[in-house]
């Protein structure tokens, strides 16, 4: 394989791996944030209302009603 092809392939694979890692991290921290909001709402005696939108649930609407 030519060096240019190998370099291009390596950069492509590395870019894909970084993208997957970043999306996974975003999803994980969003879930942690939602869990913290939910627990906090229960602690103050509220009823959490959560609407999750989009792929991987990265967009959400949260409210706490008493």
């Amino acid at each position: 394989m030519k060096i240019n092809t190998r370099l291009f392939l390596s950069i492509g694979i590395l870019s894909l791996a970084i993208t997957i890692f970043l999306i996974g991290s975003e999803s994980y921290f969003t879930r942690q944030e939602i869990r913290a909001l939910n627990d906090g709402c229960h602690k103050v005696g509220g009823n959490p209302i959560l609407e999750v939108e989009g792929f991987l649930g990265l967009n959400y609407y949260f409210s706490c009603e008493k």
Side-chain angles (χ1 to χ4, degrees):
M1 213 185 299
K2 286 187 174 181
I3 192 78
N4 289 339
T5 305
R6 182 179 282 176
L7 180 64
F8 180 72
L9 187 59
S10 298
I11 290 172
I13 291 171
L14 182 62
S15 297
L16 181 62
I18 290 171
T19 301
I20 290 170
F21 173 77
L22 290 174
I23 291 172
S25 296
E26 176 89 18
S27 179
Y28 171 78
F29 286 114
T30 299
R31 283 191 313 250
Q32 295 300 320
E33 183 177 20
I34 290 171
R35 183 174 292 135
L37 290 169
N38 191 32
D39 292 344
C41 184
H42 283 294
K43 283 182 182 178
V44 297
N47 184 27
I49 297 174
L50 176 66
E51 295 179 25
V52 179
E53 300 175 349
F55 181 65
L56 299 175
L58 298 178
N59 299 323
Y60 67 91
Y61 170 77
F62 181 86
S63 66
C64 181
E65 295 181 359
K66 288 188 178 186

